Amino acid sequence: TDLVVGRRKIWVRFDRNKRDKDPDGQPVAKKPKIDLAPHAGCWFCFANPNVEKHLIVSASAHAYVALAKGGIDRLHCMVLPTKHLPCFAQAPDDVQAAIHENVAKVSALFREADMDYALFERWIPMRNTQANHMQLHVVPVPQSRSSAARETLEESVKKAGLTLKRIERISHLEEAVGDANYWYFAVPGDNSARGRTLEHYVVLGGRLPLNT
């Protein structure tokens, strides 16, 4: 294409052949770069010397627990990897195990206070890899509202025009979402002899209100 700017002629060439294509010849969006290196500027990396230590509740080699700033509830916690990992679906087995262990400890404290809990994670790939640090949120749920948690989640997802998909457990997350950006939820389910169960769900993309 020829463009004339003043007395100058500029040639502009659009190259459509460099984009990746699927087997049907359709263009495929580029996958965001996943950078696992420590980021001194990341708010959630232990490598950041300015990490807000007063919010940290406990820490181990692979994961730590911190209070959420501006959380849904005053006991709203986050379980995070100590290293700069982007999301649970892409975390190695040892990190996933450490996250499970920390969630179990937090949920035990909630149960002692006669509360159930819900989990959520939001994964949006960012071009700025410094922003890609996994956060699994643990939010206490009053037992009086636990039975309504599933219905509340379903209504919120429906109002947003999105689709809620149930998965058996969080370990199935990677298979369920692939490379897509996602919401992961675990909400109180049915009562059992061992207490209230957790039901696991994923939503692909979109925006959702979390304080309903």
Side-chain angles (χ1 to χ4, degrees):
T1 302
D2 294 347
L3 298 178
V4 178
V5 181
R7 296 182 179 181
R8 292 186 177 184
K9 182 180 288 188
I10 301 174
W11 289 269
V12 180
R13 183 177 66 184
F14 297 94
D15 190 345
R16 298 182 176 86
N17 298 320
K18 289 186 177 181
R19 294 191 65 183
D20 294 333
K21 296 182 179 181
D22 64 17
D24 296 324
Q26 298 300 314
V28 176
K30 289 184 178 180
K31 295 180 182 179
K33 181 182 178 183
I34 305 287
D35 187 353
L36 304 183
H39 286 58
C42 173
W43 293 351
F44 304 109
C45 272
F46 261 29
N48 181 357
N50 297 316
V51 67
E52 298 188 68
K53 296 182 176 64
H54 66 285
L55 296 174
I56 296 175
V57 178
S58 66
S60 60
H62 297 299
Y64 70 98
V65 180
L67 290 173
K69 241 181 160 180
I72 296 173
D73 180 275
R74 66 183 182 85
L75 297 178
H76 179 168
C77 294
M78 299 183 296
V79 180
L80 311 99
T82 54
K83 295 182 179 179
H84 195 75
L85 293 164
C87 59
F88 188 90
Q90 298 180 21
D93 292 343
D94 55 352
V95 175
Q96 290 190 4
I99 289 169
H100 281 305
E101 182 180 345
N102 280 277
V103 169
K105 290 177 180 178
V106 174
S107 63
L109 291 174
F110 288 164
R111 282 195 295 272
E112 288 181 7
D114 296 324
M115 292 186 290
D116 293 315
Y117 69 100
L119 305 173
F120 73 88
E121 180 197 9
R122 179 64 170 125
W123 160 235
I124 305 176
M126 301 288 187
R127 290 186 179 275
N128 177 9
T129 58
Q130 182 172 292
N132 289 337
H133 194 121
M134 178 204 152
Q135 305 158 44
L136 182 61
H137 296 257
V138 191
V139 183
V141 178
Q143 290 184 346
S144 61
R145 300 183 62 184
S146 293
S147 59
R150 178 199 306 148
E151 183 179 351
T152 301
L153 176 60
E154 290 173 344
E155 289 178 355
S156 296
V157 172
K158 185 177 181 180
K159 285 181 181 178
L162 302 171
T163 301
L164 187 67
K165 178 182 178 181
R166 186 167 179 177
I167 58 176
E168 187 174 347
R169 55 178 62 92
I170 192 173
S171 58
H172 294 178
L173 187 56
E174 182 177 10
E175 179 183 351
V177 302
D179 295 318
N181 66 81
Y182 66 83
W183 289 91
Y184 160 75
F185 295 97
V187 297
D190 298 327
N191 267 321
S192 69
R194 298 177 61 183
R196 195 172 286 275
T197 61
L198 270 186
E199 296 180 354
H200 304 266
Y201 298 91
V202 293
V203 177
L204 300 184
R207 295 184 179 184
L208 291 168
L210 295 176
N211 59 345
T212 54

